[in-house]
Amino acid sequence: MTANDSTLDLVNRLSAGQPSDSDVVTPLFFRLGNIDDSQGLIRLLDRKPYIRIFDSIDQQLTELIKSYHPKFTLSDDEIRSLTAKHLAGIPKKEYGVWVYYPWSETLVHLLDEDEFIHMRTSRNRYKITQDEQALLMTKRIGVIGLSVGQSVSLTLCMERGFGELRIADFDELEITNLNRLRSGLHNMGLKKTVIVAREIAEIDPFLKVTCYHEGITDRNLEDFLLQDGKLDLLIDECDGVDVKINCRLAAKKYGIPVLMEASDRGTVDIERFDLEPERPILHGFVEHLDLSNVQRAKTMEEKLPYILPIVGIETMSPRLKASAIEIGQTISTWPQLASAVAFGGGMAADVCRRVLLGQFNQSGRYFIDLDELIGDQVKPNLTFKYTERSLSLDEMAAAASRVPPIVEHADIITDDEIRELVSAVGAAPSPGNNQPWKWYHDGKRFYLFHDIERSESFGDFQNMASYITFGTAIENLQLKANELGIRVVESLFPLDDCSRLIAVFSFIYSPVEKDELSHFLNIRCTSRRKGNGDKLSGDIIGNLQHAVRHFDNIRLKIVTGNEQIQHLAAIAGEAEKLRLFIPQGHYELFEKELRWTQREALETKDGLDIQTLELSPKDAIGFRVARDPIAVKLVAEWGLGRALENMTGDLMKTASAIGLVVIPKFDRAILIEAGKAVERIWLSATKNRLSMQPVLASVLHFARVIHGKDAVDMPDWIQKRFGELKSEFDGIFQNTNSDESVFLFRLFYGDPPEIKSLRLDTDQFFYSSKSHGS
């Protein structure tokens, strides 16, 4: 035979393997005092002479005799004498039972059932009394899902905490399961039910285990719960959302308590449907959902509304939240660790025992978080000091009184005109809808003050974003005044010693050219919807450029090429992620800007109502996960977090064009001029039925990196990365060293937003000398 022939023969042998019954989970019992059993075992050994035989009956008998005489220390002679008396003439080889495990070709000699159980449970007493043990051995427990459920099942087996265990899982053992499911490599490809049932049989062959190899389905759910006696307890460890919900609905119908152990943070969830038949499933967390649709949920998007209340996003550990951010990016599913699974198996078995013995009668979700109980007690500093405060009415009035006249003869406008002007300025856009202004009217003039308490933030470097915002409000004032036949005369920063006073305005009734853009002041809004990708015509681009033609210091750059848009989308997405990696930036988005409930939005009337983001269910959960600063810090340390780029990046990719406002130098007056230009661009886009969304994280942080010097206050690697992104960004827009990028936005065609951000009431930002006098 050649070497090639030998190799081929080896391959054929390996391919053929050994014949086996892959679903066999029940051992065979041979009691040699029974002639049929004796002859059957002889035939088995003749047929399979290679069977491995394990006979430790001497040791077992010794331990049994000792257990019968706990008060005494028996000598070897006494043990031999008592053992002989116990055997009563029965040869040791015939005593007890021989158990054959066909899947491992092993034969084991054991004490028979009663004595075996006596010895197996002897070390339980009196943690579990004999009466309690006897009661537990009458109970029926069902376990659905055996990746985590294996640990629970084996722990229950070792304590002998049931009389029958029903186990259900349709899956086979894969290599990725071996990080938490205890099994040998030779079992890969076997059904998990088979693996668990066999291991239980190898620990205690007298326990009854019923396998549902196909998992739980609509056809077998009631059989699983009721066949041969109703379950006393159901343990849910499955991944399927529909099964989780349907098994609870059925358990509630039949009064069966449900326990779920979730590994993360030592979470144990118990629902006592046996004691509370009207209790809503999952503690009422899914009552707002149509549960009849759960089986039709196939995609992750469709399943997430059901997963969220089951998992409990807000109560997940930071590491699991950080891992969740990576699902679909660098990992495919939820991670689980063997230590957590083993810990959870012990907790679940303990709770099961106390429920079945009537020692624990509560429903609820409980946490035994080892990181909190056994860990460093030093908590990271996640709060930030904001030192600025709002000016009082007295302080504004005092500053206003020191401003010299800016025109010789100004007119006093009417109350109706004041109301219209105030409405116009209140409609101006602002970053994060922070509305960082206070307006004061002394009976003649308007004064615009910086309410810096509203805008103080890491992103608003040297008030860059606020100055642009003031420009948008001033432009609104000018447009609305001109519509009313009023000319506005403005003076920026009229007091050298009061930087909070941004501008003062006098009014003159005069024939002025009206601008049709004023018609769109209350229509203009931010849209965060996806665009359809339709390109802008040359005429529309011309209209946008025409809108800013009067501003000497402003240049509007627009890119429409698909490759450029895709590149800018990547830059903008990464900039948003880097913003979150800066602790203060993370805090400001999630705790200062976002309004997480409708109630919060109504109470504050500022910030970003999360509903205005129009998030998909998946993104909504992503936002809640990313709210945890420790989780995001972990993602940053791992050098990951691509998912944190996706929302901004994906929106940018749907743009028809991306625009950039550029100024010649970083100067507060020019920034205000840029704001005026931004508002005119936005109103012109609205006029042309274009949607617009500012995307500012990149340009705001570029400014800090370039001009911050010693006040950059961001990790070196993030600062370096922003510098690299700026180089790419400048290359796309062909910026020179004298170009300051101050406002980036996307333009697109799409449906208008369903929900708009709320605005402050007039009396929250506008004050007059009349109210001051009162």
Side-chain angles (χ1 to χ4, degrees):
M1 181 180 288
T2 65
N4 285 341
D5 290 337
S6 297
T7 301
L8 181 61
D9 180 59
L10 177 60
V11 168
N12 289 335
R13 286 170 179 263
L14 291 173
S15 300
Q18 293 291 328
S20 64
D21 295 319
S22 60
D23 287 351
V24 173
V25 297
T26 305
L28 302 177
F29 295 86
F30 297 93
R31 292 173 175 86
L32 300 190
N34 180 297
I35 189 64
D36 291 337
D37 282 5
S38 177
Q39 291 177 352
L41 182 55
I42 291 171
R43 288 193 298 270
L44 176 65
L45 293 171
D46 286 343
R47 192 170 73 253
K48 297 184 176 185
Y50 48 80
I51 286 174
R52 295 178 300 165
I53 300 173
F54 297 89
D55 187 355
S56 61
I57 197 67
D58 281 335
Q59 181 193 59
Q60 295 173 54
L61 284 168
T62 296
E63 291 301 311
L64 180 67
I65 295 303
K66 287 180 178 180
S67 74
Y68 288 158
H69 302 84
K71 295 181 180 180
F72 305 101
T73 301
L74 301 176
S75 67
D76 290 344
D77 288 341
E78 288 172 322
I79 290 172
R80 280 192 291 272
S81 174
L82 291 169
T83 299
K85 182 178 179 181
H86 181 79
L87 290 172
I90 301 174
K92 284 185 181 179
K93 291 297 181 185
E94 295 181 10
Y95 190 82
V97 61
W98 290 84
V99 182
Y100 173 62
Y101 297 98
W103 52 87
S104 60
E105 306 282 16
T106 56
L107 183 66
V108 183
H109 191 184
L110 299 175
L111 296 172
D112 215 336
E113 185 169 3
D114 290 342
E115 292 177 345
F116 179 88
I117 292 172
H118 170 76
M119 294 306 299
R120 267 261 291 125
T121 61
S122 64
R123 296 293 291 272
N124 287 353
R125 296 190 292 271
Y126 288 98
K127 287 275 189 157
I128 304 173
T129 68
Q130 285 182 294
D131 288 344
E132 288 171 341
Q133 193 81 65
L135 179 59
L136 289 171
M137 289 191 296
T138 67
K139 300 298 184 180
R140 303 177 184 89
I141 299 175
V143 179
I144 304 175
L146 294 176
S147 288
V148 174
Q150 181 212 37
S151 181
V152 182
S153 299
L154 294 180
T155 307
L156 287 167
C157 158
M158 287 186 281
E159 284 191 2
R160 226 169 198 278
F162 59 84
E164 180 191 3
L165 185 71
R166 299 174 196 165
I167 55 177
D169 198 313
F170 64 88
D171 212 355
E172 297 175 350
L173 180 67
E174 299 171 342
I175 192 169
T176 56
N177 300 137
L178 292 173
N179 80 315
R180 63 199 186 282
L181 193 156
R182 189 186 72 191
S183 187
L185 295 172
H186 60 286
N187 284 328
M188 284 196 292
L190 280 181
K191 293 175 181 176
K192 293 176 182 177
T193 44
V194 170
I195 294 168
V196 172
R198 287 179 176 179
E199 189 162 4
I200 289 174
E202 290 169 358
I203 294 170
D204 189 332
F206 303 105
L207 283 169
K208 180 180 180 181
V209 179
T210 305
C211 296
Y212 287 71
H213 301 302
E214 70 276 24
I216 292 299
T217 67
D218 288 342
R219 294 184 299 276
N220 70 11
L221 176 55
E222 290 206 356
D223 181 75
F224 182 82
L225 298 177
L226 305 177
Q227 184 69 33
D228 296 327
K230 185 175 76 171
L231 289 182
D232 295 289
L233 180 69
L234 173 64
I235 301 174
D236 163 32
E237 297 293 351
C238 71
D239 295 328
V241 180
D242 56 335
V243 176
K244 281 184 176 294
I245 289 176
N246 289 338
C247 77
R248 280 171 171 77
L249 292 172
K252 177 178 178 178
K253 176 181 177 181
Y254 295 113
I256 301 171
V258 178
L259 183 144
M260 176 177 69
E261 186 281 314
S263 298
D264 184 58
R265 292 190 64 213
T267 305
V268 175
D269 192 282
I270 182 77
E271 297 166 88
R272 296 303 304 267
F273 299 123
D274 54 329
L275 303 179
E276 305 169 76
E278 300 305 317
R279 182 178 185 83
I281 69 167
L282 288 163
H283 315 295
F285 296 153
V286 295
E287 280 190 306
H288 62 291
L289 299 171
D290 182 356
L291 300 183
S292 64
N293 287 329
V294 66
Q295 285 182 297
R296 292 190 286 273
K298 303 300 180 185
T299 67
M300 184 58 69
E301 291 280 330
E302 295 168 334
K303 292 177 181 178
L304 280 174
Y306 301 94
I307 293 175
L308 175 60
I310 295 173
V311 173
I313 292 297
E314 281 72 22
T315 55
M316 289 164 56
S317 69
R319 275 197 176 258
L320 187 60
K321 289 178 184 176
S323 302
I325 292 170
E326 288 303 306
I327 293 176
Q329 301 295 324
T330 57
I331 55 177
S332 59
T333 189
W334 301 91
Q336 293 173 311
L337 294 178
S339 53
V341 170
F343 179 54
M347 287 194 301
D350 182 273
V351 174
C352 285
R353 181 182 69 252
R354 290 186 288 123
V355 167
L356 295 174
L357 294 175
Q359 298 168 354
F360 175 49
N361 301 298
Q362 301 294 317
S363 295
R365 183 168 285 181
Y366 304 87
F367 302 93
I368 311 297
D369 190 333
L370 287 182
D371 283 346
E372 292 181 0
L373 296 172
I374 307 172
D376 295 334
Q377 298 305 305
V378 178
K379 301 294 183 182
N381 179 23
L382 300 175
T383 59
F384 303 91
K385 292 183 178 180
Y386 295 90
T387 59
E388 302 292 351
R389 63 171 183 82
S390 299
L391 291 177
S392 68
L393 182 53
D394 285 338
E395 289 171 319
M396 289 190 290
S401 69
R402 296 190 290 114
V403 177
I406 58 175
V407 293
E408 288 188 17
H409 302 289
D411 292 317
I412 298 175
I413 60 177
T414 68
D415 288 346
D416 287 343
E417 290 165 338
I418 290 172
R419 277 191 290 271
E420 292 214 44
L421 294 179
V422 171
S423 176
V425 299
S430 56
N433 192 33
N434 59 16
Q435 305 168 73
W437 45 62
K438 280 190 173 182
W439 291 81
Y440 177 71
H441 182 229
D442 65 359
K444 296 180 179 180
R445 299 186 293 190
F446 273 18
Y447 301 84
L448 170 58
F449 288 91
H450 186 179
D451 189 358
I452 198 168
E453 186 175 356
R454 287 187 164 276
S455 65
E456 185 182 7
S457 67
F458 187 87
D460 195 10
F461 176 69
Q462 293 185 4
N463 301 318
M464 167 185 172
S466 293
Y467 290 139
I468 292 174
T469 295
F470 298 140
T472 66
I474 292 170
E475 185 62 25
N476 279 13
L477 180 74
Q478 295 274 10
L479 287 168
K480 177 55 69 172
N482 291 352
E483 180 186 298
L484 298 173
I486 300 171
R487 181 164 65 89
V488 180
V489 181
E490 73 178 53
S491 173
L492 295 179
F493 305 106
L495 296 177
D496 292 337
D497 61 347
C498 184
S499 62
R500 300 278 194 92
L501 179 54
I502 304 301
V504 58
F505 307 91
S506 292
F507 305 102
I508 300 171
Y509 288 117
S510 171
V512 289
E513 182 180 353
K514 298 178 182 180
D515 192 322
E516 64 176 342
L517 292 183
S518 66
H519 302 323
F520 301 96
L521 293 178
N522 292 310
I523 301 174
R524 182 217 58 80
C525 65
T526 299
S527 176
R528 297 177 179 85
R529 291 192 158 189
K530 289 185 176 181
N532 60 19
D534 288 352
K535 297 304 179 184
L536 303 189
S537 68
D539 288 344
I540 289 180
I541 293 176
N543 287 338
L544 298 174
Q545 295 285 4
H546 183 77
V548 297
R549 69 192 184 282
H550 298 306
F551 299 106
D552 295 335
N553 293 305
I554 307 304
R555 293 172 62 202
L556 170 61
K557 298 185 177 186
I558 296 177
V559 299
T560 58
N562 187 61
E563 185 175 337
Q564 294 171 307
I565 289 174
Q566 298 300 308
H567 195 172
L568 286 169
I571 292 171
E574 188 171 354
E576 286 289 347
K577 177 185 75 175
L578 294 175
R579 174 198 182 185
L580 299 184
F581 285 173
I582 300 167
Q584 189 171 348
H586 180 279
Y587 172 79
E588 287 167 355
L589 173 62
F590 288 104
E591 306 306 328
K592 288 189 71 177
E593 288 185 21
L594 285 174
R595 302 292 175 260
W596 293 91
T597 65
Q598 188 177 20
R599 180 178 179 180
E600 283 182 353
L602 288 169
E603 286 177 351
T604 64
K605 295 191 176 179
D606 63 4
L608 297 179
D609 181 347
I610 196 165
Q611 294 182 86
T612 66
L613 304 185
E614 300 191 43
L615 301 173
S616 67
K618 180 180 177 182
D619 286 338
I621 291 176
F623 255 65
R624 284 170 167 78
V625 168
R627 188 179 183 179
D628 188 327
I630 300 176
V632 171
K633 181 175 182 289
L634 286 169
V635 173
E637 290 173 354
W638 300 339
L640 301 174
R642 185 65 180 271
L644 300 174
E645 307 173 17
N646 290 347
M647 194 174 93
T648 297
D650 289 349
L651 288 175
M652 289 283 279
K653 290 174 184 177
T654 69
S656 300
I658 296 177
L660 176 69
V661 173
V662 174
I663 60 176
K665 65 178 181 177
F666 199 77
D667 173 85
R668 62 182 184 174
I670 297 177
L671 285 166
I672 287 176
E673 187 179 349
K676 295 178 180 180
V678 164
E679 185 69 342
R680 293 189 64 82
I681 294 165
W682 207 328
L683 294 169
S684 182
T686 304
K687 172 187 170 184
N688 285 281
R689 299 183 179 179
L690 267 174
S691 293
M692 181 165 153
Q693 179 191 4
V695 188
L696 300 179
S698 55
V699 294
L700 293 178
H701 289 83
F702 292 163
R704 181 175 283 273
V705 169
I706 298 302
H707 300 288
K709 296 182 181 178
D710 296 332
V712 175
D713 294 333
M714 62 177 76
D716 290 344
W717 74 270
I718 294 180
Q719 182 178 343
K720 178 184 177 184
R721 185 57 186 148
F722 268 124
E724 294 167 347
L725 292 176
K726 185 177 185 301
S727 296
E728 296 177 30
F729 184 91
D730 287 342
I732 295 170
F733 283 106
Q734 299 180 358
N735 288 339
T736 66
N737 290 336
S738 61
D739 288 327
E740 294 280 356
S741 301
V742 296
F743 196 87
L744 182 72
F745 58 94
R746 71 180 181 110
L747 294 165
F748 59 98
Y749 291 102
D751 295 331
E754 291 185 5
I755 301 173
K756 298 180 182 180
S757 296
L758 297 176
R759 296 308 180 99
L760 297 173
D761 295 331
T762 299
D763 60 6
Q764 292 177 282
F765 70 88
F766 181 74
Y767 307 87
S768 70
S769 57
K770 294 178 182 178
S771 59
H772 187 223
S774 64

